Amino acid sequence: MTSLSRVFTRSYSAVMAAAKSNVADTTAAVKKPVVKRTAAKKTAAKVSTGPKKLTGILKPMPISPVLSEFVGAPESSRTEAVKKVWEYIKANNLQNPANKREIFCDEKLKTVLDGKAQVEFLEIAKLLSKHFVKAS
């Protein structure tokens, strides 16, 4: 019985040694050379030609007089308008404490949110979209 275990151990270690050497050979061939960036290339990539142009929901647009009175500016981006509405909701404690998704509208908020007494937080951006004047 002891001779069988010795034979098995010898053949097992011989097979494993061959497998390890094959793996080492293939990983050495796969490695790619490391390319170092110079300082000039790094600074050239970071240099900008001026301020970024705001587009999409970040672009300030003309808004309706109702929303303009609420926000306090004649132009606003969509994100800024939603942010101002949320600030008003938090300041006046208009969120339902049992269900934070629901917002109770007071008279000032009803003028902006289509006269609804209660809205869900996902509706706010949709209800504000009608206050943004579309460019022709």
Side-chain angles (χ1 to χ4, degrees), residues 13-60:
S13 57
V15 169
M16 291 307 292
K20 285 181 183 177
S21 67
N22 286 340
V23 170
D25 292 343
T26 58
T27 57
V30 174
K31 288 186 179 178
K32 293 181 182 178
V34 176
V35 178
K36 293 184 179 181
R37 287 185 165 182
T38 62
K41 286 183 181 179
K42 286 183 184 178
T43 56
K46 291 182 183 178
V47 173
S48 63
T49 58
K52 282 189 169 184
K53 183 179 178 183
L54 298 176
T55 59
I57 62 173
L58 298 174
K59 182 180 179 181

Side-chain angles (χ1 to χ4, degrees), residues 58-117:
L58 298 174
K59 182 180 179 181
M61 298 174 63
I63 53 178
S64 70
V66 174
L67 187 60
S68 177
E69 184 180 320
F70 187 85
V71 172
E75 285 189 343
S76 177
S77 66
R78 291 178 187 267
T79 55
E80 190 64 32
V82 171
K83 192 183 293 186
K84 293 283 186 181
V85 170
W86 271 106
E87 286 174 5
Y88 182 79
I89 290 169
K90 295 287 184 178
N92 294 310
N93 198 21
L94 297 175
Q95 229 172 346
N96 183 356
N99 184 2
K100 296 283 188 178
R101 295 174 57 125
E102 294 177 348
I103 285 77
F104 301 125
C105 298
D106 62 354
E107 292 305 316
K108 186 174 180 182
L109 199 55
K110 279 183 184 179
T111 60
V112 176
L113 298 180
D114 208 20
K116 292 188 172 190

